[in-house]
């Protein structure tokens, strides 16, 4: 299976710089065969324009993710973006429970579990971000929510992104042997098809170490 590389732009880029990025990276991927799947998670405001560009020029080379997903579904929820709003845009993945949303917006493990199930219901692969501290609780809650919603994860893809809080945006990436250990633990906890990726100060100089011991990486700053 090709490794997954997710570029999480967070609240960076505008239409002009985003188009330039996609044209540059997309053309590179067209001309150079790499054994990785590249997924781009832009801010919501750019998703629709980038989707048109990607579907027209780079459909086989780049996939789109969103950085969050409302668990409330469509309706009167000002400012929320739900799966129905994304139909037709070719969104393959949704990052849920990023630590920045947990700390900035007070997102709870329970809400993150609901977002995970909402993504699965709409055929979007959830990328659930966890730190060691709440890893087990988070996975248990996802299992509970899945059981209630009668979703059988045996046939579903779930991606867990191990993102140690101290490694995010700090330049202090976690040692690869620590990541190897956590990857094993996560795979044991999930009795579903879990892929585990690593995020936290991944950059060109260290990415190979993580690709060797995980199913992929989630890259913030260095993906810009
Ligand atoms: P970073 O961010 O690569 O800038 O550390 C990773 C993340 O927040 O997903």
């Amino acid at each position: 299976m090709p490794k997954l590389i997710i570029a999480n732009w967070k609240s960076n880029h505008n239409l002009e710089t985003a188009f330039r990025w996609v044209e540059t990276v997309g053309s590179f991927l067209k001309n150079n065969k790499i054994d990785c799947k590249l997924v781009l998670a832009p801010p919501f405001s750019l998703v629709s324009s980038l989707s048109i560009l990607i579907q027209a020029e780079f459909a086989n080379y780049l996939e789109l993710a969103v950085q969050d997903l409302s668990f409330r579904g469509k309706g009167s929820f000002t400012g929320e973006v739900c799966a129905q709003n994304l139909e037709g845009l070719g969104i393959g993945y949704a990052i849920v429970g990023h630590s920045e949303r947990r700390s900035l917006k007070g997102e709870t493990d329970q809400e993150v579990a609901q977002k995970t199930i909402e993504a699965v219901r709409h055929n979007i692969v959830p990328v659930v971000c966890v730190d060691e501290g709440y890893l087990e609780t988070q996975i248990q809650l996802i299992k509970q929510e899945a059981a209630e919603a009668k979703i059988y994860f045996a046939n579903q893809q779930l991606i867990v992104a191990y993102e140690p809080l101290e490694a995010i945006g700090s330049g202090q990436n976690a040692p690869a042997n620590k990541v190897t250990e956590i990857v094993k633990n996560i795979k044991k906890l999930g009795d579903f098809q879990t892929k585990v990726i690593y995020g936290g100060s991944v950059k060109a100089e260290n990415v190979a170490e993580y690709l060797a011991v995980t199913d992929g990486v989630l890259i913030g700053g260095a993906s810009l």
Side-chain angles (χ1 to χ4, degrees):
M1 283 298 279
K3 303 277 173 167
L4 195 63
I5 298 181
I6 306 181
N8 176 15
W9 282 358
K10 308 188 181 187
S11 300
N12 292 291
H13 280 301
N14 59 27
L15 195 58
E16 190 192 333
T17 61
F19 264 56
R20 209 179 305 139
W21 191 103
V22 168
E23 295 279 4
T24 309
V25 175
S27 306
F28 175 85
L29 294 172
K30 259 188 186 175
N31 298 324
N32 298 272
K33 206 172 154 26
I34 65 160
D35 193 23
C36 288
K37 184 189 270 196
L38 192 58
V39 176
L40 171 61
F44 274 123
S45 59
L46 301 173
V47 165
S48 146
S49 317
L50 291 181
S51 165
I52 295 168
L53 174 62
I54 290 173
Q55 287 181 31
E57 289 189 45
F58 305 109
N60 297 328
Y61 306 95
L62 270 172
E63 279 197 72
L64 274 176
V66 284
Q67 298 177 13
D68 184 32
L69 188 72
S70 169
F71 62 84
R72 295 190 165 88
K74 65 177 179 173
S76 303
F77 307 110
T78 303
E80 294 283 281
V81 178
C82 70
Q84 287 95 332
N85 306 139
L86 299 167
E87 282 165 9
L89 294 175
I91 303 298
Y93 301 81
I95 298 174
V96 292
H98 191 283
S99 63
E100 284 154 12
R101 297 204 60 79
R102 292 176 192 261
S103 64
L104 289 171
K105 298 280 172 187
E107 268 187 21
T108 63
D109 294 343
Q110 184 67 48
E111 285 170 343
V112 175
Q114 288 172 279
K115 290 179 179 204
T116 306
I117 300 307
E118 188 64 7
V120 170
R121 275 208 186 99
H122 291 88
N123 295 319
I124 295 175
V125 178
V127 180
V128 186
C129 300
V130 291
D131 174 51
E132 234 175 316
Y134 45 84
L135 162 63
E136 283 197 30
T137 330
Q138 185 63 82
I139 292 188
Q140 287 314 330
L141 280 171
I142 291 172
K143 285 186 184 175
Q144 230 167 282
E145 281 288 323
E148 274 167 34
K150 299 203 172 11
I151 283 175
Y152 301 104
F153 261 102
N155 316 318
Q156 300 288 345
Q157 266 202 72
L158 175 78
I159 297 172
V160 176
Y162 167 51
E163 297 214 301
L165 297 180
E166 66 282 2
I168 297 178
S170 63
Q172 286 160 15
N173 50 304
N177 56 354
K178 172 83 198 275
V179 175
T180 310
E181 188 192 311
I182 303 275
V183 170
K184 271 194 212 141
N185 292 344
I186 296 176
K187 290 206 176 186
K188 259 189 250 155
L189 282 173
D191 46 10
F192 25 74
Q193 298 228 337
T194 316
K195 283 197 171 137
V196 186
I197 64 177
Y198 167 77
S201 297
V202 175
K203 44 184 181 289
E205 300 84 71
N206 60 32
V207 66
E209 283 179 51
Y210 298 112
L211 290 179
V213 297
T214 62
D215 296 310
V217 286
L218 178 52
I219 311 180
S223 75
L224 296 177

